[in-house]
Amino acid sequence: MKHNNMNKCSLAVKLALVASLGGGYSTVALAQDANVTDESEIEVIEVSGIRGSTKASINQKRFADSQVDGIAAEDIGKLPDVTITDSLQRITGVQIERVAGEGGVIQIRGLPQVDTTLNGESFLSATTIDTSGADLGDLPAQLFSGVDVYKSATASNTAQGIAGSIDLKTRRPFDLDEGFTFAGGAEVTYGSISEEADPTIHGLVNYNSGNYGFLLQAVATDVTLATDYNGYNDTSENGGLGWTNNNHTWGGTPLDGSEDYHVIPHGFTAFNKTEERERNALHLSFQAELGEGFTLTAEHMYTEQERFNARRGFNHNSRWQTFAGYAYADGFTGDEFTDGAGNNWVGVDGYQALPYRLQSFTQVNVNEEVSNNFNLELDYDNGGALTGGIRFTSAHATASMRHAYGEGDILSIDEGTLVTGPGGFLPAQYCNNGEEIVGDNGGCYGQYSQGIQDSEFLIGWDASGEHPHFSGFDQMVDGGKGVRSVGDYMADLDSYHIGAFSSEGNTDDKGKIQTFSTAWNYAFDDGILTSVDFGVRYSKRTVDHDQFTYTSEFGDGCDIAQWKAVDQTYIGAAEGDPCYQVSGTGENIGGVWTPYTLLPPTRLDQHTTVSYQTDFGGVTGIPGVWSIDPSNFRDPRQWHLDTFGNVQRTENGGRTYDVGLDELSYYLQANFEWEALSGNVGVKVIETDLYVKQNLVGPNLPHSGLGPDIGDSVTERDYSDVLPSVNLAYGVTDDIIVRAAYSENMQPLNLAQWGDGKSVGLVFDDECNCMRVVNGTLNGNPELDPWRSTNWSLSGEWYIGEASMAFLSTYKIEIESFTQADTIMVDEPDSDGVRRGPWPFTANVQGEGGDVSGYEVGARLALSDFLGDSGFFSSFGFDANYTYSDSSQQAKDVFGKDLPFVGMSKDTYNLVGWYENDSFSARIAWNSRSPRLITPGNAGTGGQSLYQDDYSQVDVSVNYDFNENISVYVNGSNITEEYQQTYVEFPGQKAFQNVYEARWSVGTRVQF
């Protein structure tokens, strides 16, 4: 990490916090009915506490010109939940995915195609540089006064989204009382798995003179998030299905001889995952009344975060040698189906697996992310019919990720195991253990460790219970230290040798967005037409994505390697190869030049510190493993330089790209009111120019999956969209509103879906003595169309009291074009040029003809609206809502039924109960969602898809005000320590679990 640069920024944030802690505050929100024209009639809502926040959110919904839900901060620095995303999941129709236990990607009405704006305009988050969806992971909740969720579109709204859009709202100087306002707070958070106490400090200083003002907000956090993972072997962020196949692949007849088909994963694993995150954020805002109706606003939001994501644990896998010969079923779920080829498939929840590879591993991702968002506005409102302004924004963000990996193999590779090569030929300096000398310079096939030399024991995995159970570690096996149990060998550090080191998939991302817009409203004194909105906006967005590997040279530069591994040998077996007969890279055996193994025998603790690991969460049966301490890899480049003497940055041409997206939009919107009916009708035109530069890729470099850049492929496209919208609101009574909306929507793809290229998965194969293709991805396609949809919605709202309402809505989203993952078969050549495929490649393809429909129902009740302000029960309130989402598309499941869209749950529930009196408040919230599709199936799984099972979470918060200046609080997130269970097609065919920790926070807020 570049600690020096980051620490200077951190110091600035923390100095700002010191300056801001210790003051008083007040927050005012305004809500105005469309019929209200006199400022004296505007309802002023003092936002304080749970009831005040509820009242502000209800008024935002009631007086909006479209279908809107929102959340409002209960006080400065206090959204209802710990994170923005956790608060958003309480809104009807909003679903979230979790990363490291915290809220991540957001869906509205089941779709993740959600645009996010900051105070009504596009911005850049360092975690979403090349995406178009909403992931608010680097934005601290304390900076925001509220969040609005738009479920119907208007022509005047900047945001683009298929299912909806989100607007994050910050405070500005004129929002707060005149004079100085000070607010601040500090808290400590404890995680039940990490067992770390993590600090957060935040503060605000505001000055409002009446004519000008400035605001400074700052937040600093230092947290450690922890998760336990177990199940199918996969190294993606939350697990996946890409490494899974079936019992008839690579090996012919299955181990048990069965004619039935069933899923077999690449392996089984259990590990701990931690993420250390230092995050600092700063928000500056200046406003000034310039006279003659002009107001100037200038703002800057800065965020930085460092994330150290580490995984370490146990792994048992097929070493990519076979699926049919790796494992057989040892437990059945009773589920079955027949595929299109007539094969009978059965569901499996237990296996017995042969010892191709038994190991520990440590994997690290080091992320540094910085974003800067600037905003300059000049607004005009001189009390006349014409109001509006001009606005310029400029945002840039950078994100870097550095990866490191090291594995410790427990099985010997020199004798007695299923996989005994191809490595093993070593220089004379490693031939000191009585090995037979076979080379003319004293070389031998050496001993790598005192590990297991046995090919017949079996490791069991049983997922039929709540948590998986591993077995087989009490079996007696032979090895370098005689006959002992598998568990005894795992407990002996001498059993381990390094299988591989690597630093691959590293990325550098740069993104920029610049916008210029002018938006105006002209109001009419009388008539049905109340006003007209019109405006023009230009947006220019660019992304530069580089992916690369840290490689090292070997043999004085005749070879270069990404994977420094025991199963890799110098490129010198044949005349003409770069290392053929190069001194130090091999020697003659019986007159035949034979290359050395690239990585000689290396103890697990030779280049790193190690420790013995026995805690794998709820998993049972694993005795423990020695694994590398993740702290060794805090600087992956330096570690490889220190260990191998040199390091180079080698670009992966197939995964490096540039994308430019220019949009010119203009709109006209008529706002009207006729008796009890009001609304707007508008049209927006968006003209888009798309520039995509991809790389042409040559043959993969040795010892790697790197395809070198051999030229550029440039695609330039343009397309236009005409997007009409209608929003109607009819006041049936003073308290009942019926709304209807229609719109045509467009949202650009994630830029990676246009720009990304091809990557190929390769493993060493004994039979061909080559790197063999096993799978691949075709990630980008510049000819794909953006998401387009036609949306209808209808809702009824009953406003029962100041902080009480009930609602019912229904919606339908017809999706004209979208993208979806599909599996295509590609006959990609292996490293020796021979085509042995085809093999399954995951690709983004164009989808057409899908739709999403459903309904939402809910109520927010403050009992004081019914019982008055006196009495014990009048201090209680309840929120409850339910969303049903259904979808159809061309992709089908194994029974021919429509697959849902990725990420969608049919059912989402929220239930919140709260209590609040003059000094004490408490809140408990329950959120639940039904199974969601993670990824569709492929040919290897017979089309069986991966789902997340039902997931529910309970959060609590308690607050006590000592007086109007000082309060203390306790927050609990996931207090029942729930876990994410996934399954392949059938709930009983479990795949893996992410076990999330409970997190408890204790803090204080002060005001003077």
Side-chain angles (χ1 to χ4, degrees), residues 92 796 798 805-809 856-861 879-883 910:
T92 316
W798 179 23
M805 70 164 297
F807 59 89
L808 174 65
S809 62
E856 303 165 347
V857 59
R860 310 186 74 173
L861 303 175
D879 298 347
N881 60 64
Y882 166 74
T883 302
N910 282 291

Side-chain angles (χ1 to χ4, degrees), residues 57-199:
S57 299
I58 287 176
N59 275 272
Q60 169 69 11
K61 183 178 183 72
R62 183 172 191 171
F63 300 117
D65 61 357
S66 60
Q67 295 181 17
V68 180
D69 285 293
I71 53 176
E74 297 172 17
D75 287 313
I76 291 177
K78 186 184 179 185
L79 282 177
D81 291 275
V82 176
T83 69
I84 300 172
T85 307
D86 286 334
S87 291
L88 283 170
Q89 73 175 338
R90 313 295 175 200
I91 292 178
T92 316
V94 174
Q95 300 171 345
I96 69 171
E97 296 178 18
R98 296 192 172 274
V99 178
E102 285 194 336
V105 176
I106 297 167
Q107 298 107 18
I108 297 178
R109 291 174 169 172
L111 295 174
Q113 284 66 44
V114 177
D115 199 7
T116 308
T117 56
L118 177 64
N119 296 319
E121 185 52 270
S122 297
F123 76 106
L124 263 183
S125 162
T127 56
T128 55
I129 287 178
D130 59 358
T131 65
S132 58
D135 183 351
L136 311 178
D138 66 335
L139 300 175
Q142 293 87 349
L143 290 185
F144 298 95
S145 61
V147 186
D148 290 335
V149 176
Y150 293 87
K151 298 178 182 176
S152 68
T154 62
S156 57
N157 192 343
T158 299
Q160 303 175 51
I162 296 300
S165 62
I166 294 171
D167 186 38
L168 306 173
K169 299 185 293 186
T170 62
R171 293 175 179 82
R172 291 174 169 176
F174 289 168
D175 295 337
L176 304 181
D177 290 341
E178 290 193 12
F180 276 101
T181 300
F182 300 93
E187 71 179 32
V188 175
T189 301
Y190 178 83
S192 61
I193 296 178
S194 67
E195 298 183 344
E196 296 282 344
D198 303 320

Side-chain angles (χ1 to χ4, degrees), residues 482-503:
V483 178
R484 307 164 71 181
S485 71
V486 175
D488 285 341
Y489 270 102
M490 293 169 63
D492 189 340
L493 182 57
D494 292 340
S495 302
Y496 294 74
H497 67 273
I498 293 295
F501 288 123
S502 70
S503 176

Side-chain angles (χ1 to χ4, degrees), residues 39 56 167 175 303 599 727 806 946 978:
E39 288 190 5
D167 186 38
D175 295 337
T303 65
L599 185 69
N727 287 273
L946 179 67
E978 297 298 326

Side-chain angles (χ1 to χ4, degrees), residues 639-660:
W639 186 90
H640 279 262
L641 178 61
D642 293 342
T643 303
F644 299 102
N646 68 91
V647 66
Q648 297 82 36
R649 173 174 170 146
T650 303
E651 298 294 325
N652 186 357
R655 302 301 305 273
T656 297
Y657 57 86
D658 295 336
V659 177

Side-chain angles (χ1 to χ4, degrees), residues 1 19 54 71 84 108 158 204 253 418 494 503 506-507 537 539 570 575-576 623 676 678 701 715 804 945 947:
M1 294 185 184
T54 302
I71 53 176
I84 300 172
I108 297 178
T158 299
L204 174 146
T253 304
L418 287 170
D494 292 340
S503 176
N506 303 308
T507 58
R537 177 178 180 270
S539 170
Y570 280 95
E575 188 173 355
S678 62
L701 298 176
T715 302
S804 302
S945 299
Y947 293 86

Side-chain angles (χ1 to χ4, degrees), residues 27 50 88 113-114 188 395 432 475 486 499 542 546 695 698 744 891:
T27 306
I50 300 174
L88 283 170
Q113 284 66 44
V114 177
V188 175
N432 303 313
Q475 296 172 82
V486 175
T542 60
D546 293 334
N695 293 323
E744 295 184 19

